[in-house]
Amino acid sequence: MVDDGYQDIVNIDISSVVIEQMKKKYHAKPQLKYMKMDVKNMSQFESCSFDAVIDKGTLDSIMCGQNSQENATKMLEEVNRILKDKGVYVLITYGDPSYRLRLLKDLQLWTIKLHVIDRWERTCDPPWELTKPLPLDGDGLSVVSLLGPKPDVHYIYVCVKGSDDGKTHLHSKVEDNQEAN
């Protein structure tokens, strides 16, 4: 991201070992800041202070631990708190939409779009384009009908803080068609 021009990137991890390793590895990139912090309590950050949060694996890790539902909710509420209005939470996960979508949707914090990236080694063309979100219904079953059971993909949830009515809604191709008319 620094190579693409981003100048202020904050990285957090609960492990001081990881933080020290990353500081050493990227010492030549002062734009990268590293802080030891629990994502469930980011009180060191002011509310509405970030334009975006990128999560690759943190929510997945929390969902594998004790009190997963409660801890995931704490994490997502903190992410929402530190995001500016219209800020973006990008969740990159293996977590099936029937689990992750319900968790994200129940909090009613974001407008949610779902994208997928196929594994690199697969050779067939996917039935979707990365730049277009997959159609979503309330429980994620439309994704299963499109991709089939147990697809070998990364799910990318793009969650935008706030919406016109203050409630989360699921963006879909049906809504795109209605907006065009």
Side-chain angles (χ1 to χ4, degrees):
M1 290 176 65
V2 169
D3 293 343
D4 287 334
Y6 292 91
Q7 296 298 308
D8 188 17
I9 302 169
V10 179
N11 302 278
I12 68 169
D13 200 288
I14 199 163
S15 167
S16 57
V17 172
V18 168
I19 293 299
E20 290 308 312
Q21 287 174 341
M22 298 309 284
K23 282 180 178 179
K24 287 178 187 173
K25 182 174 182 178
Y26 294 107
H27 69 276
K29 295 191 186 241
Q31 304 91 330
L32 297 173
K33 295 160 190 72
Y34 293 93
M35 301 174 71
K36 180 186 180 301
M37 189 179 301
D38 184 340
V39 73
K40 298 182 308 286
N41 178 4
M42 296 186 281
S43 57
Q44 290 179 268
F45 299 136
E46 290 183 28
S47 296
C48 303
S49 59
F50 286 84
D51 295 309
V53 172
I54 301 171
D55 171 5
K56 185 178 182 299
T58 302
L59 184 62
D60 288 349
S61 179
I62 287 173
M63 293 300 291
C64 294
Q66 288 184 316
N67 301 319
S68 62
Q69 221 39 46
E70 178 185 336
N71 288 330
T73 297
K74 285 180 185 177
M75 176 198 152
L76 294 171
E77 287 173 343
E78 274 293 276
V79 167
N80 185 67
R81 183 187 66 77
I82 66 170
L83 279 174
K84 295 177 182 175
D85 189 40
K86 305 298 181 197
V88 179
Y89 170 52
V90 179
L91 170 61
I92 303 164
T93 178
Y94 285 120
D96 184 276
S98 62
Y99 299 108
R100 297 298 186 269
L101 184 58
R102 185 179 72 239
L103 180 64
L104 293 169
K105 183 179 72 117
D106 286 352
L107 292 174
Q108 297 187 357
L109 301 173
W110 297 294
T111 300
I112 303 166
K113 294 182 182 182
L114 173 60
H115 301 262
V116 294
I117 296 178
D118 207 0
R119 287 181 56 125
W120 291 107
E121 61 268 15
R122 291 184 54 175
T123 57
C124 63
D125 290 329
W128 64 88
E129 295 177 43
L130 175 61
T131 57
K132 294 187 179 179
L134 295 177
L136 291 175
D137 55 19
D139 57 10
L141 293 177
S142 60
V143 175
V144 173
S145 65
L146 179 63
L147 302 178
K150 298 186 180 182
D152 201 5
V153 297
H154 287 284
Y155 297 98
I156 303 170
Y157 296 87
V158 179
C159 307
V160 179
K161 181 177 177 177
S163 67
D164 294 337
D165 61 4
K167 300 216 181 222
T168 298
H169 75 275
L170 303 175
H171 192 277
S172 70
K173 290 182 182 176
V174 172
E175 290 177 42
D176 286 339
N177 292 337
Q178 289 172 346
E179 290 171 8
N181 292 332

